[in-house]
């Protein structure tokens, strides 16, 4: 009988401790982006996505005409969240430093640009990241 009480007490302590911990998960699901380049259209801005932690933003320029794209993370007010753009190289995933979460914003979007005026580009991105990739905007 005493063992059952101890087990019940331990289980309730574990449940209480677990409920006091914040439940958050990085928003790492990839979202596809694609855009066509033209003389009057050389950039693309993705839709806003929720930023759930202070990790870097993941970007993977999978395929397209330009060998690289300039990219920067914007907050929900369209303000750049880092002092330097990053060159996303075709076929190489990478990370973008930014300070969206640290500055109190909870949504971010990605702006991609090219100096080329023909062709197109496509890839994926996520506002949060896990894992190790090269940093594109040092």
């Amino acid at each position: 009988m005493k063992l059952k009480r101890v087990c019940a007490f331990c289980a309730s302590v574990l449940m209480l401790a677990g409920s006091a911990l914040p439940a958050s998960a990085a928003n790492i699901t990839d979202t596809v982006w694609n855009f066509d380049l033209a003389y009057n259209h050389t950039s693309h801005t993705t839709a806003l996505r929720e930023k759930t932690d202070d990790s870097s933003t993941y970007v993977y320029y999978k395929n397209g005409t330009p060998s690289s794209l300039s990219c920067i993370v914007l907050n929900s007010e369209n303000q750049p969240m880092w002092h330097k753009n990053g060159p996303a190289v075709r076929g190489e995933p990478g990370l973008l430093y930014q300070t969206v979460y640290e500055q109190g914003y909870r949504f971010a979007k990605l702006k991609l640009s090219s100096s080329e005026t023909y062709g197109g580009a496509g890839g994926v991105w996520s506002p949060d990241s896990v894992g190790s990739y090269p940093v594109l905007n040092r």
Side-chain angles (χ1 to χ4, degrees):
M1 186 70 151
K2 190 174 186 178
L3 180 60
K4 285 184 180 180
R5 282 189 204 159
V6 170
C7 289
F9 175 76
C10 290
S12 63
V13 168
L14 285 174
M15 287 191 313
L16 284 173
S19 67
L21 297 173
S24 72
N27 191 357
I28 58 170
T29 303
D30 287 346
T31 296
V32 175
W33 54 266
N34 290 292
F35 67 103
D36 292 325
L37 295 163
Y39 75 92
N40 61 348
H41 186 257
T42 59
S43 68
H44 173 74
T45 303
T46 66
L48 282 171
R49 289 193 53 198
E50 186 175 13
K51 183 89 175 91
T52 60
D53 64 27
D54 63 358
S55 65
S56 296
T57 295
Y58 173 79
V59 62
Y60 182 18
Y61 172 27
K62 288 187 172 187
N63 52 53
T65 310
S67 59
S68 67
L69 298 171
S70 175
C71 50
I72 194 160
V73 179
L74 305 174
N75 64 21
S76 54
E77 305 297 318
N78 288 321
Q79 300 165 327
M81 290 282 90
W82 194 251
H83 61 277
K84 185 177 177 188
N85 292 10
V89 177
R90 184 179 55 228
E92 298 177 18
L95 300 175
L96 295 167
Y97 284 145
Q98 41 64 31
T99 56
V100 173
Y101 195 83
E102 296 87 335
Q103 290 192 32
Y105 296 98
R106 294 301 178 255
F107 289 87
K109 54 188 168 181
L110 185 64
K111 182 175 182 179
L112 304 128
S113 305
S114 173
S115 58
E116 295 191 22
T117 58
Y118 67 93
V124 296
W125 81 290
S126 63
D128 299 326
S129 63
V130 293
S132 296
Y133 299 95
V135 176
L136 306 175
N137 59 344
R138 287 186 191 238

